[in-house]
């Protein structure tokens, strides 16, 4: 966390410790204007994301849904988005400090759900889909993905923990051992789901918050060295990973690797990106979405974006994501208390890391890990949780000392 933020908050934290830990009932709702630029970037990405979701998904929906409903994915995502927007605006009016009251209950519920999904889950389609344990079936044909909730639970848990033990975060016990223990629980359970991408993302979110919270940089440097060694070992010996993960590493290293068409989706993603050129083939005119890029409404939707909107359109979208992340860190840097600042840092880090990893996968820069693109990829749980988290950031922005625009 920046030194200026630490100095600005030191007196406030000391004052708050003298007060009761409870929160006044009169302080449930907060007033003040939300951060308009951050809201504008969110709405812009959400709008473009919905348009691109429909464009990318309607051929697949027509051929794959029982009633040949081309609007299947779009209509469901639109409903999830409306629910998410309501949650976002409601949360933006609630004092984010109340979230601290729910840390332990939410942590318990999330861990319970992560355990339940290992035994009670839907099977993802595909040759090896039965081994993936990510979704809990719900009535009405809906599903719930606990790992999406786990991202926010980890952020909230770390924000609460670090704000309480900030002065001890430079010690191994408080700054490294306990946080790594929490991360290990989440990552271990999600890894058992065969959800490698989310396991990596959870680790990176936790590490970001540890760094922002003041963990010893020397131990971080040692950890980074160990991580580099592990990556080197995995690339050199893919068989060290589970079958599906090792196969993806082999497919990434060997461009001619083809057992079970492991590179089918990646190769067609690259074809789509290359076909888009500078200006794109035009909105709705993608050819790769016609069952070449498997499930183009999900993890590889950015390849369809590049094909239809070209380099210019993709660059604008990346710029909007970058602007959202930068604006989020501005909100965090000007926040009055560590808990609120860490909440924002966690949410913004999640979005930034997820966007970065998705684009790296789609462009074959890293192995295919199956990670969604925020605001674009189809997924009800992910969309609703993402907009709820943006609502938390907007709530913090009401309390920040920044000049409103």
């Amino acid at each position: 966390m920046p030194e200026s933020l630490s100095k600005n908050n030191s007196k406030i934290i000391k004052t708050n410790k003298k007060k009761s830990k409870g929160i006044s009932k009169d302080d449930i709702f907060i007033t003040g204007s939300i951060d308009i630029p951050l809201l504008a970037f969110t709405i812009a990405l959400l709008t473009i994301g919905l348009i691109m979701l429909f464009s990318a998904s309607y051929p697949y929906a027509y051929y794959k849904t029982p009633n040949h409903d081309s609007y299947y994915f779009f209509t469901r995502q639109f409903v999830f988005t409306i629910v998410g927007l309501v949650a976002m605006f409601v949360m933006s009016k609630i004092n984010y400090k109340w979230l601290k009251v729910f840390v332990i209950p939410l942590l318990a519920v999330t861990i319970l759900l992560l355990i339940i999904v290992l035994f009670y889950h839907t099977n993802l389609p595909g040759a090896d889909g039965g081994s993936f344990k990510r979704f809990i079936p719900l009535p009405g044909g809906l599903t719930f993905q606990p790992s999406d909730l786990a991202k926010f639970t980890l952020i909230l848990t770390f924000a609460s923990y670090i704000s309480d033990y900030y002065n001890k975060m430079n010690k191994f016990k408080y700054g490294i051992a306990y946080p790594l223990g929490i991360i290990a629980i989440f990552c271990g359970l999600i890894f058992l789901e065969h959800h490698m991408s989310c396991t990596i993302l959870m680790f990176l979110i936790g590490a970001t918050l540890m760094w922002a919270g003041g963990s010893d940089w020397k131990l971080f440097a040692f950890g980074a060295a160990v991580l580099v060694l592990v990556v080197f070992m995995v690339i050199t010996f893919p068989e060290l990973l589970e079958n599906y993960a090792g196969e993806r590493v082999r497919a990434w290293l060997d461009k001619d690797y083809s057992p079970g068409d492991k590179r089918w989706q990646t190769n067609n993603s690259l074809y789509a990106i290359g076909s888009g050129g500078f200006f794109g083939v035009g909105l709705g005119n993608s050819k790769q979405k016609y069952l070449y890029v498997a499930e183009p409404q999900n993890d590889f939707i950015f390849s369809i974006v590049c094909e239809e909107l070209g380099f210019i359109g993709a660059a604008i979208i990346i710029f909007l994501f970058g602007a959202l992340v930068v604006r989020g860190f501005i909100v965090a840097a000007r926040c009055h208390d560590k808990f609120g600042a860490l909440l924002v840092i966690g949410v913004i880090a999640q979005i930034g890391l997820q966007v970065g990893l998705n684009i790296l996968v789609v462009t074959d820069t890293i192995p295919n890990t199956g990670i969604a693109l925020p605001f674009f990829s189809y997924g009800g749980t992910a969309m609703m949780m993402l907009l709820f988290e943006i609502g938390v950031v907007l709530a913090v922005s009401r309390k920040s000392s920044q000049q409103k625009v």
Side-chain angles (χ1 to χ4, degrees):
M1 187 176 293
E3 292 183 5
S4 59
L5 180 59
S6 176
K7 292 178 180 178
N8 290 337
N9 286 305
S10 59
K11 293 184 179 179
I12 298 173
I13 297 298
K14 290 179 181 178
T15 303
N16 289 339
K17 286 182 177 179
K18 296 178 181 178
K19 297 179 180 180
S20 170
K21 291 185 178 180
I23 302 175
S24 171
K25 293 182 179 180
D26 297 330
D27 199 30
I28 296 176
F29 299 102
I30 51 178
T31 58
S33 59
I34 59 178
D35 191 79
I36 300 302
L38 191 141
L39 177 62
F41 295 138
T42 299
I43 298 301
L45 286 166
L46 191 59
T47 302
I48 298 172
L50 284 172
I51 293 172
M52 288 310 307
L53 175 72
F54 173 67
S55 179
S57 68
Y58 70 81
Y60 185 85
Y62 178 81
Y63 287 108
K64 295 295 183 178
T65 55
N67 298 323
H68 301 292
D69 182 7
S70 298
Y71 294 89
Y72 177 83
F73 295 108
F74 175 77
T75 52
R76 290 165 71 95
Q77 188 80 338
F78 186 78
V79 172
F80 296 140
T81 300
I82 295 299
V83 174
L85 284 172
V86 172
M88 182 184 78
F89 284 111
V90 170
M91 188 60 228
S92 73
K93 288 291 295 179
I94 297 176
N95 189 341
Y96 60 88
K97 293 181 180 179
W98 273 103
L99 291 171
K100 214 167 185 179
V101 177
F102 301 98
V103 172
I104 300 302
L106 183 61
L107 183 61
V109 169
T110 302
I111 291 175
L112 179 61
L113 290 172
L114 289 174
I115 294 173
I116 290 174
V117 76
L118 298 177
F119 303 96
Y120 179 64
H121 55 267
T122 60
N123 290 333
L124 296 180
D128 54 359
S131 65
F132 292 92
K133 309 163 185 177
R134 303 180 185 177
F135 299 91
I136 296 175
L138 300 175
L142 300 175
T143 59
F144 176 78
Q145 188 166 352
S147 58
D148 287 322
L149 175 63
K151 297 171 191 174
F152 178 70
T153 302
L154 180 66
I155 292 169
L156 178 60
T157 302
F158 267 44
S160 177
Y161 172 82
I162 294 172
S163 63
D164 287 342
Y165 294 95
Y166 183 76
N167 294 329
K168 298 180 179 180
M169 286 297 291
N170 60 340
K171 298 180 180 179
F172 177 81
K173 178 180 178 181
Y174 294 94
I176 300 293
Y178 287 164
L180 283 182
I182 297 172
I183 293 175
I185 293 172
F186 280 100
C187 289
L189 289 171
I190 293 173
F191 182 77
L192 291 176
E193 299 177 11
H194 288 188
H195 199 174
M196 180 63 73
S197 60
C198 190
T199 303
I200 296 171
L201 181 61
M202 293 290 284
F203 176 82
L204 293 176
I205 292 172
T208 300
L209 285 169
M210 287 170 63
W211 178 268
S215 294
D216 191 339
W217 70 269
K218 295 179 182 178
L219 293 173
F220 254 88
F222 175 76
V226 172
L227 183 61
V228 170
L229 178 61
V230 170
V231 171
F232 174 77
M233 292 295 293
V234 166
I235 292 176
T236 306
F237 307 103
E239 61 272 12
L240 293 174
L241 294 174
E242 290 189 80
N243 289 335
Y244 85 98
E247 290 293 297
R248 290 182 176 182
V249 173
R250 291 190 187 93
W252 174 65
L253 293 171
D254 183 359
K255 307 307 179 185
D256 296 322
Y257 189 76
S258 61
D261 290 324
K262 295 296 182 182
R263 284 195 57 84
W264 171 269
Q265 190 173 34
T266 300
N267 286 339
N268 281 284
S269 170
L270 296 176
Y271 297 152
I273 294 171
S275 300
F278 201 73
F279 295 104
V281 298
L283 182 63
N285 294 329
S286 165
K287 295 180 181 178
Q288 295 301 121
K289 66 186 177 185
Y290 286 90
L291 307 187
Y292 291 102
V293 174
E295 297 191 44
Q297 75 280 2
N298 286 331
D299 305 335
F300 279 74
I301 190 172
F302 191 71
S303 65
I304 307 302
V305 170
C306 293
E307 184 181 8
E308 296 191 348
L309 304 184
F311 175 81
I312 294 295
I316 291 173
I317 290 170
I318 292 173
F319 169 80
L320 288 173
F321 274 119
L324 177 68
V325 170
V326 170
R327 194 65 195 181
F329 281 123
I330 290 174
V331 171
R334 296 176 178 176
C335 181
H336 284 299
D337 71 284
K338 290 182 176 65
F339 176 65
L342 288 165
L343 278 175
V344 176
I345 290 172
V347 171
I348 295 302
Q350 174 194 326
I351 295 172
L353 289 167
Q354 201 164 325
V355 170
L357 290 172
N358 177 271
I359 294 175
L360 290 175
V361 166
V362 168
T363 56
D364 199 29
T365 307
I366 62 174
N368 182 359
T369 60
I371 191 164
L373 183 64
F375 300 111
F376 284 73
S377 296
Y378 175 75
T381 310
M383 178 63 79
M384 291 186 291
M385 284 303 306
L386 178 60
L387 291 174
F388 174 83
E389 291 173 5
I390 292 293
V392 173
V393 176
L394 292 174
V396 174
S397 75
R398 293 182 189 272
K399 284 283 190 177
S400 70
S401 60
Q402 68 190 73
Q403 182 179 358
K404 303 300 176 182
V405 179

